Amino acid sequence: MKESKYNYLISYENDYVLFNGLTRKMIIIPSHYHDTFKELLNDLSVLKSSDILREKLIDGGFIVEDEVNEIEILMRLHKQNIETPVYTLTILPTFHCNFACWY
């Protein structure tokens, strides 16, 4: 197992947020576990296969198998998005609409 290339550890109020840019999932890490968590990500061998934390990290894409090529996954997702035959348009009127809507 290895840490995802797309993990971002961001300070938020008194805690930290671990965000994965590829899966768009996040985990809140209490500040008193910050150093321990960073050490854990540097040495994933301490996680047991039945560990709940390990399962959460895998489900969120924060850790991946060694043979996983995340850049290839990202390129495949990008290709799917640009080659879609359907495009959508969203109109979001507000009270400050340029069309002077009555609502």
Side-chain angles (χ1 to χ4, degrees), residues 33-63:
Y33 288 122
H34 174 262
D35 293 335
T36 306
F37 193 78
K38 285 188 82 164
E39 290 174 15
L40 175 82
L41 288 178
N42 288 331
D43 183 15
L44 294 171
S45 65
V46 298
L47 289 173
K48 297 177 182 159
S49 61
S50 62
D51 195 351
I52 293 172
L53 177 59
R54 182 178 188 272
E55 292 175 23
K56 294 288 184 186
L57 292 174
I58 291 171
D59 289 343
F62 301 105
I63 59 175

Side-chain angles (χ1 to χ4, degrees), residues 3 11 15 24 26 28 35 42-43 46 56-57 66 68-69 75 79 88 91 95-96 102:
E3 181 181 2
S11 176
D15 296 324
R24 292 183 256 163
M26 65 180 158
I28 296 176
D35 293 335
N42 288 331
D43 183 15
V46 298
K56 294 288 184 186
L57 292 174
D66 289 329
V68 171
N69 184 342
M75 295 303 289
K79 187 176 180 181
T88 59
I91 299 174
F95 289 118
H96 303 288
W102 61 268

